[in-house]
Amino acid sequence: MIPEARMMAAYLAVALVALFGGVVTGLLQALDHAGINLYPWVSPFIASYYHGLTVHGVLNVLVWTTFFICGFLPYITTRALGLPLARRGLGWWTFGLMTAGLVLAAIPIMANAATVMFTFYPPLRAHWAFYVGLTLVVVGTWLVTLNLVLTYRAWRRANPGRRTPLPAFMSLVTFAMWTIASLGLAAEMLFLLIPWSLGLLAGTDALLARALFWFTGHPIVYFWLLPAYISWYTLAPRQAGGKLFSDPLARTSFLLFLVLSTPLGFHHQYTDPGIHRGWKLLHAFLTFAVFFPSLLTFFNVTASLESGARARGGKGWVAWFGKLPWGDPSLAAQVLAMLLFTFGGVGGLINASYNLNLVVHNTAWIPGHLHLTVGTAVTLTFMGITYWLVPTLCGRALWGRRLALVQVWLWFIGMAIFSHAMHQLGLMGAPRRTMLSAASYVQPEWQSMMAWVGIGGSILFVSSLLYFLVIVLTLAVSRRPAPAPPEFAEAMSGPDHSPPMLDRWRPWLALAAVLILIAYGPTLLRLATTTPLTTPGFRVW
């Protein structure tokens, strides 16, 4: 096994452990919505609904995604460039740093000393180790970026004038975007939360902290999504037997994500005082603008899949869809993730609209939407990727392809039920982040949808058990040699058709910086220079 593959296996192992812990605590929450309170049975490991919600959010939203991405994209990049990582020692040191940070943050979480959800809004205050641990994980992602940049520069020196291979280009864009976006979270941790939790600052400020968090909090969605897009663009078309429709269009969409992903966080703060409505309006416009590269992705990927289906005999405007190789659990997972994600995209437009946002703000609609993005587009795609990646890493063929297909369809069905019920509850006014089984204000019309939340969550849990069963038995039981991993898709309109501007970095990074300064600069400067840090910390659990 090549060193990059060993590193991918190490990151994947941590990611899968986090996913398992997240789905177990997710089941507890779904059943609680259905009126089944199992938290007394799991105490003291999970002390309360909110303790479990924090564990679920941190493990599934932050750890599972981040560790998978930090292993997968370097692995993809080195395959595309045909070069090893420039600094393998740095790669392993980075993995150790991120794992140490995870353990440091996990100790107070499991001890119920950091029950502040994955958004950790002050004035709720966690133990200092939680903030320091998460900061180390973020620093680790910066080191991944550094290693990729060094590897790219080595490739560029050996290949002057050549277009960057698309998978490597997309991976670099993803980490460039994330490195810029994560500066808000780093500032919140280093200048507000860590000194505050250590007693070096007497207080904090909720509005300033929220503004810094959402500087990162919305772009992190694209940090999760873009690796899934990379698979949809560069691997899924080949798995379907076709070609990528347009390489230049793919590069354009990713560069637009680089420019537009960060300066739009105020659409999460429409109800927050202290931010002028003019800046909120600008962020609303930019949020609608970032939907455009998503539309480009929808068109390009659909056309690419269609080319594969038609090569297999597919005909008609829609009937070709049935000719995709649905017997391949890896491709089936990704295509089903795409289908559910279309509804997540439409819901995102509702969240971005000021008047409609006021209807769904802080309701169950929001986690319903989040589960269509990180819970489906990202997680189901990553599951599909592991159905070829794990066999490649261990050298053994996937055990139980039919069972894997059942798992994929169960996830699709369970998430369709779960997310629909959560959206409906949100429209009826049910709050998010609330132990509804103990709430005295539950309305009679909520009851049926709450039951469907429990049903959908239970199906998702069964699906996750099947997923882990397939992975474990592939590692322990399978004896057939693994097939070759999928090759990268060729493009009908290849990189040579791309304008040189689509393979340059400085203009796009400069444009991203200018937009961020315009959209965030005045507000953050005013808040940082005029806000007294006087709010004390609270622990309410």
Side-chain angles (χ1 to χ4, degrees), residues 244-514:
L244 174 63
F245 178 75
S246 173
D247 180 291
L249 196 61
R251 293 174 190 266
T252 300
S253 67
F254 264 62
L255 288 170
L256 289 175
F257 280 122
L258 173 63
V259 171
L260 296 172
S261 292
T262 301
L264 41 72
F266 287 162
H267 81 260
H268 289 269
Q269 298 180 264
Y270 284 151
T271 61
D272 284 10
I275 300 175
H276 193 275
R277 60 183 178 273
W279 295 116
K280 294 177 181 178
L281 179 63
L282 175 62
H283 282 234
F285 287 150
L286 291 170
T287 307
F288 280 105
V290 83
F291 189 66
F292 181 66
S294 294
L295 291 176
L296 295 182
T297 298
F298 173 80
F299 171 78
N300 206 354
V301 172
T302 302
S304 304
L305 293 176
E306 183 179 357
S307 74
R310 291 193 182 280
R312 298 167 60 88
K315 300 183 183 301
W317 287 11
V318 178
W320 62 264
F321 197 67
K323 286 294 185 178
L324 291 171
W326 289 101
D328 179 359
S330 176
L331 183 66
Q334 296 177 77
V335 175
L336 292 176
M338 297 174 200
L339 288 176
L340 276 186
F341 184 54
T342 57
F343 298 98
V346 173
L349 291 178
I350 292 172
N351 298 340
S353 305
Y354 181 81
N355 53 342
L356 296 178
N357 181 283
L358 296 182
V359 176
V360 301
H361 184 74
N362 271 343
T363 70
W365 170 285
I366 303 302
H369 167 75
L370 186 64
H371 281 79
L372 288 180
T373 52
V374 65
T376 306
V378 175
T379 295
L380 189 53
T381 294
F382 287 1
M383 287 176 169
I385 291 170
T386 59
Y387 281 149
W388 66 259
L389 182 59
V390 169
T392 298
L393 296 176
C394 71
R396 301 178 179 184
L398 186 69
W399 184 93
R401 286 174 62 90
R402 291 184 179 178
L403 191 61
L405 277 172
V406 171
Q407 181 270 317
V408 166
W409 279 98
L410 280 178
W411 192 275
F412 175 80
I413 294 168
M415 192 61 77
I417 294 171
F418 176 89
S419 63
H420 173 74
M422 292 292 280
H423 279 85
Q424 289 282 54
L425 282 169
L427 292 176
M428 290 187 287
R432 66 184 297 202
R433 293 173 162 174
T434 300
M435 188 178 184
L436 293 180
S437 68
S440 59
Y441 47 79
V442 171
Q443 303 299 307
E445 60 268 24
W446 299 359
Q447 296 291 346
S448 61
M449 285 297 108
M450 289 168 63
W452 281 111
V453 169
I455 293 170
S458 298
I459 295 173
L460 288 169
F461 182 70
V462 171
S463 172
S464 66
L465 292 182
L466 294 180
Y467 171 71
F468 285 107
L469 178 65
V470 170
I471 296 300
V472 169
L473 292 181
T474 297
L475 296 171
V477 174
S478 178
R479 291 294 179 264
R480 292 182 294 110
E487 297 294 334
F488 295 119
E490 297 179 5
M492 302 178 196
S493 175
D496 293 337
H497 292 84
S498 298
M501 180 62 73
L502 297 182
D503 200 35
R504 293 176 182 168
W505 290 96
R506 290 181 182 177
W508 302 101
L509 291 171
L511 181 57
V514 168

Side-chain angles (χ1 to χ4, degrees), residues 10-11 14 67 93-105 136-137:
Y11 276 105
V14 176
F67 273 77
W93 194 88
T94 300
F95 172 75
L97 177 69
M98 293 178 66
T99 305
L102 171 60
V103 172
L104 185 62
L136 292 178
V137 173

Side-chain angles (χ1 to χ4, degrees), residues 155-196:
W155 178 88
R156 178 55 70 196
R157 285 194 297 269
N159 298 271
R162 282 188 57 191
R163 294 285 191 273
T164 309
L166 184 61
F169 176 81
M170 290 178 158
S171 298
L172 287 163
V173 169
T174 300
F175 271 98
M177 181 278 298
W178 166 248
T179 301
I180 295 170
S182 61
L183 295 177
L185 185 61
E188 181 190 10
M189 290 291 196
L190 295 176
F191 298 114
L192 291 180
L193 299 186
I194 292 176
W196 178 55

